[in-house]
Amino acid sequence: MAPRNPNSEKIFDFVVNKGNGIKGLVDTGIETVPDLYILPIEERLLPNNILPYDSIPVIDVSNWDDPKVKESICDAAGKWGFFQIINHGVPLHVLDAVKEAAYRFFGLPYEERNKYWAGNSPTDTVTLKTSFVPQAEAVLEWKDYLSFRCSPRDLESFPLWPPVCRDEVVEYMESAKSVIRKLLEVLLEGLKVKQIDKAREYTLMGSPIVNLMYYPHCPNPDFTAGVRPHSDISTLTVLLQDDNGGLYVRATENDSWIHVLPINGALVINIGDILQIMSNDRYKSIEHRVVANRSKDRVSVPIFVNPGPDAVFGPLPEVLESGEQPLYKEVVFSDYFKYFFSKKHDGKKSMDFARI
Ligand code: OGA
Ligand code: NI
């Protein structure tokens, strides 16, 4: 990576090394976007590249056992990789509470937030970070996030988690669990897997991560990336967004993007790399990106449903049964995870790690 100019170095030091985050920088009252956050033109989301009339499917899941519902889910996973679900059973008050908890945490003074900054945190199950991999990025992402590892074992460190948001995070995670299970059952049934046994459960959802994402308002969001185009490395991701919008999904191989319209009470579901690999490309892990808002602070709460760290995954035997060639090799999840977090967000390049 080319060396940064002296002003960018100063800002990098304030935001990353001192742990102020982009929240801290915005709190200083900046009125323009610093160089450190300005994307080259070819990386910006231009209005011409947004398809105004398209949207991802919205699926009513009040009856999971309805074959039509199952079909819509599997179809959406194959064609779009993204869909929203409504009537999923996670109470609205639980969704609202976790969004408020995110605002509460990021509303804390620097000294309080900084206790959880990577390196300071009393437990590695909760860490506050900024951008994605700042050391590997010439241009940083306009976001901070508090990340919770949420496997049953990780939850033992709950007493060390920030009191202003920990109950809400756990309640959200707990009530989303049955939705996650249902989605995985339906999606795997679509791959001819009849039952999710304990070993498969560990591979599919052994170590979930919940993030409280915070995208402070930005003087010129068009110049910046809240999150660069990327695909998730999860099996699937359950995302709660607020009513500001700003999440875009890649539409075609051309450079066009579809806005994910905020729907109150809905959850956005996307297929991650792991399910694309396990399904040997029947389901698609689609690129997406986030643009911050000019006047409002945006929050979102993704649950990355990840395999256990030592889980080994590859195309499922049920999928290859009829003699189909595997497109991916078997990979240990912790290796895939490390690879992803060693580079900047870069479209779908993460999947090269597993490709044959
Ligand atoms: C992510 C992501 C979307 C959002 O963190 O991987 O895509 O709306 N977030 O915050
Ligand atoms: Ni994502």
Side-chain angles (χ1 to χ4, degrees):
M1 204 179 69
R4 301 191 166 95
N5 70 39
N7 191 46
S8 290
E9 274 304 337
K10 252 174 57 191
I11 292 185
F12 188 93
D13 187 56
F14 178 83
V15 172
V16 181
N17 301 339
K18 302 249 166 35
N20 286 281
I22 183 64
K23 165 76 166 87
L25 189 68
V26 169
D27 283 348
T28 65
I30 51 164
E31 284 173 8
T32 54
V33 175
D35 286 352
L36 185 59
Y37 287 89
I38 298 188
L39 292 171
I41 291 175
E42 64 278 9
E43 285 190 39
R44 297 181 196 167
L45 178 56
L46 305 174
N48 276 349
N49 293 343
I50 299 170
L51 300 176
Y53 303 113
D54 264 341
S55 59
I56 60 169
V58 178
I59 304 173
D60 182 335
V61 294
S62 36
N63 183 3
W64 287 102
D65 296 325
D66 180 345
K68 286 213 189 73
V69 172
K70 294 185 179 179
E71 197 183 315
S72 319
I73 291 174
C74 296
D75 268 6
K79 286 198 194 111
W80 297 82
F82 257 89
F83 50 98
Q84 307 210 53
I85 54 172
I86 54 171
N87 298 324
H88 43 65
V90 183
L92 199 57
H93 71 88
V94 172
L95 303 180
D96 287 343
V98 76
K99 281 188 273 187
E100 275 159 31
Y103 283 116
R104 236 182 353 261
F105 178 80
F106 286 97
L108 290 173
Y110 166 75
E111 296 72 31
E112 289 299 313
R113 295 198 310 272
N114 197 251
K115 287 182 186 163
Y116 302 95
W117 195 258
N120 303 347
S121 180
T123 159
D124 60 4
T125 56
V126 59
T127 353
L128 176 61
K129 296 185 191 154
T130 192
S131 191
F132 181 62
V133 188
Q135 277 70 16
E137 296 162 317
V139 174
L140 300 192
E141 294 181 352
W142 195 272
K143 70 152 199 279
D144 295 334
Y145 63 107
L146 185 66
S147 191
F148 296 83
R149 290 195 345 224
C150 286
S151 74
R153 177 105 182 263
D154 296 325
L155 282 164
E156 290 169 15
S157 356
F158 177 84
L160 299 173
W161 291 6
V164 292
C165 56
R166 63 187 177 193
D167 292 328
E168 291 79 1
V169 166
V170 171
E171 195 176 8
Y172 171 54
M173 178 67 220
E174 289 302 322
S175 38
K177 253 188 197 155
S178 58
V179 176
I180 293 169
R181 208 163 219 301
K182 274 288 172 204
L183 283 166
L184 287 171
E185 275 168 15
V186 169
L187 288 164
L188 285 225
E189 197 185 316
L191 300 174
K192 298 202 241 118
V193 174
K194 293 191 184 66
Q195 192 208 336
I196 300 181
D197 60 18
K198 280 280 161 212
R200 283 235 164 112
E201 181 174 305
Y202 184 71
T203 304
L204 292 165
M205 52 188 293
S207 57
I209 292 178
V210 179
N211 281 359
L212 300 181
M213 320 277 293
Y214 187 80
Y215 305 85
H217 60 280
C218 174
N220 198 335
D222 304 340
F223 289 0
T224 65
V227 186
R228 283 193 175 76
H230 69 284
S231 60
D232 292 350
I233 62 166
S234 51
T235 52
L236 57 82
T237 304
V238 176
L239 178 95
L240 170 66
Q241 64 166 341
D242 67 14
D243 55 7
N244 289 319
L247 172 62
Y248 295 84
V249 175
R250 191 187 277 286
T252 61
E253 286 312 305
N254 300 327
D255 199 16
S256 48
W257 297 82
I258 297 172
H259 188 227
V260 180
L261 219 60
I263 301 174
N264 192 29
L267 291 168
V268 180
I269 309 297
N270 64 287
I271 303 299
D273 294 354
I274 311 294
L275 258 194
Q276 177 168 346
I277 292 169
M278 291 175 91
S279 72
N280 212 30
D281 276 0
R282 284 190 184 46
Y283 298 146
K284 304 285 185 326
S285 164
I286 299 293
E287 274 177 80
H288 50 287
R289 66 197 299 173
V290 174
V291 181
N293 193 281
R294 194 179 291 273
S295 55
K296 294 194 193 135
D297 305 323
R298 174 181 193 269
V299 296
S300 69
V301 191
I303 303 176
F304 299 103
V305 181
N306 287 342
D310 53 348
V312 179
F313 62 90
L316 290 164
E318 287 86 343
V319 173
L320 303 180
E321 222 165 46
S322 54
E324 186 174 311
Q325 284 306 305
L327 303 169
Y328 304 93
K329 54 190 177 198
E330 301 229 302
V331 173
V332 182
F333 183 65
S334 59
D335 295 340
Y336 198 87
F337 190 87
K338 268 188 224 133
Y339 177 76
F340 183 63
F341 281 94
S342 67
K343 298 178 183 343
K344 69 173 192 169
H345 276 139
D346 194 4
K348 291 215 42 152
K349 291 233 177 92
S350 48
M351 292 196 68
D352 293 347
F353 189 74
R355 216 179 297 278
I356 288 177

